[in-house]
Amino acid sequence: MKQLTIISGKGGTGKTILTASFAVLAKSKVMADCDVDAADLHLVLHPTVMETHEFEEGERAVIDRELCSECGRCREVCRFEAISQDFIVDPVSCEGCWVCHYACPENAIRMEKNICGEWYVSETRYGPMVHARLGIAEENSGKLVTLVKQKAGELASDQNLELILIDGPPGIGCPVISSLAGVDLALVVTEPTISGTHDLERVIGVADHFRVRSAAVINRYDINPEISGEIERWCDKKGVPVLGKIPFDKIVTEAVVAGTPVVEYSQNSVSAEIESIWRGVVRLLAIEHTSAGQDNNEP
Amino acid sequence: MIISVASGKGGTGKTTVAVNLALLLAQEPSRKVQFLDCDVEEPNAHLFLKPEIRSSESVTIPVPEIDREKCTCCGKCAEICAYNALAVLKEEVMVFEQLCHGCGGCALLCPEEAIREREREVGVLEVGTAGAIDFVHGRLNIGEAMPVPLIRAVKRRIVPEALTIIDVPPGTSCPVVESVKGSDYTLLVTEPTPFGLHDLKLAASVTRELGIRSGVIINRADLGDQRVREYCEEEAVPILGEIPYDHNLARLYSTGAVVLDQGREYLEVFGGIWDSVRADSGIESLVSSG
């Protein structure tokens, strides 16, 4: 079983669009949407939810005003400015460290389990999918990402599936790090802009730091072919294979609006390039090529 | 006056809007404008504002250091640690610094007083100026998991007398909340697609949860469908402005060029956005008109 994570550093480069098309092209796989605080893959793959589970992680402090003597010890020890002057805990600022609970001389602070979201096991036309919704303003996104990957792994094992196809989050922080843990390949989707290259270098730095092999795709490359060329040269120096360069085309937006993966929506230069990129992924991961209905140009 | 620029979805144009709005507002000489880039994982605003950095400081969080002479391996620290950052073995205590939130609990509660705290760097805070704009950003160290302490450090530089524009990271969880918290108004930048709409609703929930008034800017407004506009009408969320897709603009953005400099029409787009923000946020009386 192999794991592929699609990340970007910079947001909005086309991770989800690419993941959705890979879901069409990959033969034996489970999809995992690990962009848990702004999950979009379901908008293109239209999963039917088969199981819903609560994601409970960590606690939040609650002060019992009857027992509270207003001594202020909790406010002294709280490092997160989560307790107001009238001794109310702000659940958004509270990081669930329990220190106030231990420090309170009146035992007036209890810790309540925090339900921070939900995760789902679903069926799609393209195969099974694990996805999640992190509650608004919650923490623990890294833990939810880990849970989604773990559940996808269990499913893949049970059903003898070859690949876990992971739609990753933007950035470089803990949800991204969690989405990279133990994967066989990080495919970085970038764009030919100075923001894109700046962020690409940082996120490849993270993949390197955690010893995860990476490859790159340049999306909308013809917006700036010069910068696209610079990216290719940089990747070459770093030993990061560039698996493809997708041209800008409004048809991609049309496909998103239609809620359809690009490679299903229409055959054109974009879908041809995505199919070529997929063949590159297949080679790097040494997995079986393509599902039925696509041209098998090479193994 | 603090105005944050957020989105939910990545790549909708937050930095473009934040940067160009700040530059427009800074043209008024009586107005002090501050720009805070709170996207400490992938800061981009400096690529457009090109600030002269005047100071750079290490941002740290306190992590435990065990005094092996005093430690009895009683296990209390690992018991109370809510983040599994401590593991007590037979002869020693292991500290997983990356998991530590810096709550100070272990140091406070160790019965042998065997735990001190040392400052561990998580990133760097840089402060400078871009023309008349006071600029602050943070840059999270590669491999660090937690951006929130660095975002807090950036926000501690807010000057209350200034008009502060905050560039917010994508997403809807704790880094976004930390960045947006305390704003007087939030601009939500979206695109007219199902992804844009879905994530806009999540971002709007965040601002609502925090009690912050917000308005929407639709970027690449002619590339997509009407569902975002319909949502805004149904929910009475003001649309502060629309920026049409412009291939020329996309190319300019790719090079780090500032849109405002490129022509009268862009000046008018951002001028219009600012007029709408002023009208909707009711800050006419607080800020001198420009």
Side-chain angles (χ1 to χ4, degrees):
Chain A
M1 188 203 305
K2 303 286 168 76
Q3 295 189 60
L4 167 69
T5 291
I6 297 169
I7 53 173
S8 60
K10 189 181 184 316
T13 55
K15 297 179 288 304
T16 300
I17 286 169
L18 199 60
T19 309
S21 281
F22 285 175
V24 175
L25 299 172
K27 192 178 160 99
S28 155
K29 78 286 176 182
V30 52
M31 278 69 71
D33 190 347
C34 287
D35 190 359
V36 298
D37 52 300
D40 289 336
L41 189 61
H42 65 285
L43 298 169
V44 191
L45 299 188
H46 310 289
T48 303
V49 177
M50 309 300 283
E51 294 169 30
T52 301
H53 304 266
E54 265 177 5
F55 173 58
E56 201 179 66
E57 185 63 41
E59 294 86 19
R60 291 287 178 273
V62 176
I63 299 179
D64 185 338
R65 301 304 308 281
E66 312 260 295
L67 298 175
C68 173
S69 64
E70 300 194 2
C71 68
R73 182 76 183 126
C74 55
R75 281 169 49 80
E76 265 170 42
V77 299
C78 178
R79 295 252 176 108
F80 309 110
E81 292 166 31
I83 305 178
S84 68
Q85 284 180 335
D86 43 357
F87 301 98
I88 299 180
V89 178
D90 172 17
V92 170
S93 298
C94 175
E95 295 204 7
C97 70
W98 287 63
V99 175
C100 58
H101 163 86
Y102 290 118
C104 175
E106 312 298 337
N107 232 345
I109 305 182
R110 66 179 185 280
M111 301 303 294
E112 285 185 347
K113 272 239 159 273
N114 190 34
I115 294 173
C116 1
E118 288 183 333
W119 57 277
Y120 317 99
V121 178
S122 300
E123 275 301 322
T124 73
R125 280 183 52 207
Y126 318 96
M129 178 170 160
V130 182
H131 50 130
R133 188 189 51 80
L134 189 69
I136 294 303
E138 284 295 345
E139 295 173 39
N140 296 306
S141 47
K143 295 225 170 88
L144 185 53
V145 166
T146 300
L147 185 63
V148 167
K149 276 175 72 193
Q150 181 202 321
K151 294 299 171 187
E154 287 168 16
L155 216 147
S157 207
D158 290 343
Q159 296 184 24
N160 246 323
L161 300 169
E162 200 181 25
L163 175 70
I164 306 173
L165 175 59
I166 300 163
D167 188 5
I172 60 164
C174 89
V176 174
I177 294 169
S178 298
S179 79
L180 286 174
V183 307
D184 298 283
L185 183 66
L187 185 62
V188 184
V189 183
T190 187
E191 57 178 44
T193 65
I194 57 162
S195 302
T197 55
H198 174 275
D199 297 358
L200 169 73
E201 290 175 22
R202 281 170 67 77
V203 80
I204 297 256
V206 175
D208 286 349
H209 182 94
F210 291 99
R211 305 218 203 299
V212 174
R213 183 183 196 189
S214 52
V217 165
I218 307 174
N219 197 8
R220 303 186 280 259
Y221 84 91
D222 49 349
I223 297 269
N224 193 318
E226 294 80 20
I227 294 184
S228 181
E230 281 167 27
I231 292 173
E232 285 184 277
R233 285 187 290 280
W234 185 85
C235 285
D236 189 49
K237 258 178 36 195
K238 293 274 301 181
V240 174
V242 175
L243 297 184
K245 302 186 309 194
I246 305 172
F248 173 79
D249 194 324
K250 295 181 180 185
I251 208 133
V252 172
T253 307
E254 277 178 41
V256 170
V257 167
T260 306
V262 173
V263 295
E264 264 185 358
Y265 185 72
S266 91
Q267 278 300 306
N268 56 19
S269 54
V270 174
S271 44
E273 187 61 16
I274 293 176
E275 285 161 19
S276 169
I277 291 166
W278 175 247
R279 288 193 289 275
V281 168
V282 162
R283 267 194 306 271
L284 284 179
L285 286 179
I287 56 176
E288 273 196 83
H289 190 208
T290 304
S291 54
Q294 302 294 328
D295 281 344
N296 284 8
N297 287 335
E298 56 185 274
Chain B
M1 173 77 194
I2 302 169
I3 299 175
S4 45
V5 184
S7 63
K9 187 181 186 318
T12 54
K14 291 177 290 309
T15 299
T16 300
V17 168
V19 160
N20 285 279
L21 198 59
L23 287 167
L24 179 77
L25 297 173
Q27 286 175 3
E28 169 57 39
S30 64
R31 184 184 284 144
K32 183 77 232 147
V33 175
Q34 214 187 7
F35 190 100
L36 263 48
D37 189 349
C38 284
D39 187 355
V40 302
E41 295 182 34
E42 296 284 24
N44 287 158
H46 65 288
L47 300 169
F48 299 90
L49 289 173
K50 301 176 175 58
E52 194 185 316
I53 298 298
R54 298 180 193 283
S55 76
S56 177
E57 67 188 57
S58 176
V59 174
T60 61
I61 66 165
V63 294
E65 206 170 56
I66 315 289
D67 183 340
R68 304 192 60 175
E69 311 268 294
K70 294 187 182 166
C71 173
T72 60
C73 291
C74 70
K76 183 102 177 120
C77 58
E79 213 181 278
I80 64 148
C81 178
Y83 312 107
N84 298 314
L86 292 158
V88 176
L89 312 176
K90 259 185 30 201
E91 309 257 304
E92 66 170 326
V93 176
M94 288 181 67
V95 180
F96 302 110
E97 292 186 344
Q98 293 280 355
L99 299 177
C100 175
H101 281 221
C103 71
C106 52
L108 196 66
L109 298 167
C110 171
E112 310 301 330
E113 290 182 6
I115 301 181
R116 255 195 336 248
E117 288 179 288
R118 71 169 187 88
E119 293 296 323
R120 186 175 81 80
E121 184 182 283
V122 294
V124 166
L125 181 79
E126 293 182 327
V127 178
T129 51
I133 297 175
D134 286 343
F135 177 88
V136 185
H137 79 176
R139 194 191 285 280
L140 188 69
N141 287 349
I142 300 296
E144 285 297 328
M146 290 186 285
V148 168
L150 187 49
I151 297 172
R152 283 198 191 111
V154 172
K155 289 191 67 185
R156 276 198 284 271
R157 297 303 183 116
I158 287 178
V159 169
E161 308 81 60
L163 194 159
T164 304
I165 307 282
I166 299 182
D167 191 359
V168 176
T172 57
S173 64
C174 55
V176 171
V177 171
E178 198 61 46
S179 305
V180 170
K181 220 158 69 167
S183 299
D184 296 293
Y185 195 82
T186 301
L187 306 187
L188 296 174
V189 185
T190 188
E191 57 179 45
T193 67
F195 291 179
L197 176 60
H198 178 268
D199 298 356
L200 172 66
K201 290 179 183 173
L202 296 174
S205 306
V206 174
T207 52
R208 207 176 313 124
E209 170 101 4
L210 296 174
I212 300 170
R213 186 160 180 78
S214 59
V216 165
I217 293 173
I218 307 179
N219 195 9
R220 299 189 286 270
D222 47 350
L223 270 196
D225 65 15
Q226 294 301 318
R227 283 176 272 182
V228 165
R229 288 181 197 84
E230 284 162 10
Y231 162 79
C232 290
E233 260 183 52
E234 275 156 25
E235 301 293 316
V237 176
I239 296 176
L240 305 169
E242 300 198 10
I243 306 170
Y245 177 74
D246 180 343
H247 205 83
N248 187 44
L249 207 67
R251 181 160 173 106
L252 287 171
Y253 166 81
S254 77
T255 65
V258 162
V259 161
L260 218 55
D261 294 341
Q262 304 308 317
R264 177 104 215 132
E265 71 252 54
Y266 301 120
L267 206 59
E268 279 167 11
V269 165
F270 286 96
I273 289 171
W274 179 237
D275 287 340
S276 306
V277 172
R278 273 204 322 222
D280 191 57
S281 65
I283 62 163
E284 299 276 13
S285 48
L286 298 173
V287 177
S288 60
S289 54

